[in-house]
Amino acid sequence: MIDAVSWATATPELLLLGMACVIALYDLFVDTPLRDATYRLTQLTLAVVAVLEGYLASSGQTLVGFGGMIVSDPLAAWLKCFATVALMVTLVYARPYAGARDMLRGGELFTLSMFALLGMFIMISGHHYLVLYLGLELLTLSSYALVALRRDEVRATEAAMKYFVLGALASGFLLYGLSLVYGATGSLHVAAVAQAVAGGVREPLVLTLGIVFVVAGLAFKLGVVPFHMWVPDIYHGAPTAVTLLIAGAPKLAAFAIVVRLLAESLPLAAAQWQPMLATLAVASLLVGNLAAIAQRNVKRMLAFSTIAQMGFMLLALVGGVAEGGRGGMADAWGAAMFYVVTYVLTTLATFGVLLLLTRAGFESEDIEDFAGLNQRSPLYAGVLAACLFSLAGVPPLVGFYAKLAVLQALLASGAEAAVGLAVFAVLASLVGAFYYLRLIKVMYFDAPVQTAPIEAPLATRAVLTVNGALVLVLGVLPGGLMTLCVQALRAVL
């Protein structure tokens, strides 16, 4: 019999599931002019879930339910709160775009978004390998459908097919790796696997092989080299609103599953996965930044930028491994969490401007489409410039402090080749600054090509303004968010 604590632990997930089903049924009986009610109901549900998760996170409680398969700790609560807010902002930006492209007719955008968020929640709170895998599959299946939402567009359906095939391959890698870890340790529970590894396993080679496949599966979900080729194709092929949904909140869930599978489950096997993460980080920084320079399509450029940004984040995980001591590990992984959260914040505003610049029958994707944006709208140009400077790591924006925190964690670890990794990361960031500055130059110094007015609902403009302001405010005052991230990781590790 399921006890009260288990129900309390899964309350946000149950609420999301129930309301997603209600909205799906509601859409069967309403006409297109009434879709506003669906949107408001979705946002109201997400607001309630965000407040609930924020309350659980601030209380500092850790709830364990369903036989230890689900956990609600400060890390899970904060990440779920941030993911919910990110989805709310995404829907605010996406609504005008989707409405102009007839993507709201069936209401699938809202329902699938909520199912995707439910998958993220399960990934974040899962404390059992099968639960984590089920959450991952729910997220990815919802994402496949969202990419193909515009069924009459060849580019979107092609991207969805690529995503499905490559995603199935990566899921197979991850599931096979988890099965090997189970064979070596005899358990699927995160805590039990850690205890088994601490006590010594009979077949260390099987465990090592399992870790290789697990890291490969996680690398695909993070979109790092050499498991990265789906990222530019999906970013480019999917409708821009769906691209933002994939580029934003799921990164928080991907970070959470890395924490559960590596930091919590296999910390004593760090000697096996530390070199893998370091290799993935170096390759992602190199390939991501160099490939982005050659792009003329902004969505593809941001896709390769994402690859490089995730590679930079992995450096903190390498530093956390080498610090030895759970406290030092928590501090380093806290820096990585700060990096991911601020990256998602910046990505939301960046794609928000892209969505505002589109209109019926026109996609604002090429660099030339941003020519003279400052003359058309100084506000939107300023927000986008702030986000691009932040991604490049220019002070005093939040991206600079995030990169500084990662480098500090790496250097403080005393890891072998830490200095070399830090120098390489800085040089790669300098290379990456070129394609960010190129777009800023086009916005401010080139003559405008488009003359159509930039129109947007008041709510969209207000949210975008606040979003852009936070990129600056958190760069000047990062202490509160950094402390929150470190304390959340310390509660877990």
Side-chain angles (χ1 to χ4, degrees), residues 5 34 94 122-123 130 172 203 214 217 228 240 321 381 403 424 486:
V5 176
L34 298 178
I122 297 173
M123 289 172 62
L130 291 182
E203 299 291 342
V214 168
H228 67 289
T240 306
V321 169
K403 284 181 166 56
F424 178 81
V486 171

Side-chain angles (χ1 to χ4, degrees), residues 199-427:
V201 296
R202 292 184 178 180
E203 299 291 342
L205 184 59
V206 174
L207 178 63
T208 301
L209 186 61
I211 292 173
V212 170
F213 279 98
V214 168
V215 171
L218 294 176
F220 178 89
K221 300 308 175 184
L222 289 171
V224 293
V225 177
F227 307 96
H228 67 289
M229 285 313 299
W230 67 274
V231 181
D233 288 340
I234 304 312
Y235 274 45
H236 184 210
T240 306
V242 177
T243 302
L244 174 55
L245 198 149
I246 294 173
K251 292 294 186 290
L252 300 169
F255 173 77
I257 198 172
V258 171
V259 172
R260 302 300 186 195
L261 291 180
L262 299 184
E264 282 195 76
S265 181
L266 299 166
L268 297 181
Q272 280 78 33
W273 50 265
Q274 176 189 6
M276 301 181 206
L277 294 185
T279 303
L280 293 174
V282 170
S284 300
L285 284 168
L286 181 64
V287 174
N289 284 313
L290 291 180
I293 293 176
Q295 305 303 317
R296 302 300 300 177
N297 182 279
V298 174
K299 288 169 68 175
R300 292 187 71 88
M301 184 195 81
L302 291 174
F304 284 107
S305 166
T306 296
I307 295 168
Q309 297 288 341
M310 290 298 101
F312 206 105
M313 182 271 294
L314 288 179
L315 294 176
L317 309 189
V318 173
V321 169
E323 290 207 26
R326 306 284 280 187
M329 185 177 185
D331 291 346
W333 285 60
M337 178 179 170
F338 180 88
Y339 194 98
V340 173
V341 171
T342 56
Y343 166 76
V344 171
L345 175 71
T346 308
T347 298
L348 289 172
T350 303
F351 276 96
V353 176
L354 264 67
L355 288 167
L356 283 178
L357 294 181
T358 60
R359 58 184 184 274
F362 176 77
E363 297 285 339
S364 183
E365 295 184 2
D366 295 329
I367 292 179
E368 292 75 13
D369 297 332
F370 293 81
L373 178 60
N374 183 57
Q375 300 178 36
R376 299 172 62 197
S377 174
L379 172 62
Y380 299 153
V383 170
L384 183 55
C387 292
L388 294 173
F389 278 129
S390 179
L391 290 171
V394 176
L397 300 165
V398 69
F400 168 77
Y401 188 84
K403 284 181 166 56
L404 179 63
V406 168
L407 293 176
Q408 287 176 334
L410 178 62
L411 294 174
S413 69
E416 184 178 353
V419 175
L421 286 173
V423 171
F424 178 81
V426 172
L427 294 177

Side-chain angles (χ1 to χ4, degrees), residues 74-76 78-79 82 252 255 259 329-342 401 405 474 478-493:
L75 173 66
W78 280 122
L79 285 177
F82 293 149
L252 300 169
F255 173 77
V259 172
M329 185 177 185
D331 291 346
W333 285 60
M337 178 179 170
F338 180 88
Y339 194 98
V340 173
V341 171
T342 56
Y401 188 84
L474 289 176
L481 180 58
M482 176 59 80
T483 301
L484 182 151
C485 294
V486 171
Q487 289 179 349
L489 265 300
R490 284 180 177 174
V492 173
L493 302 179

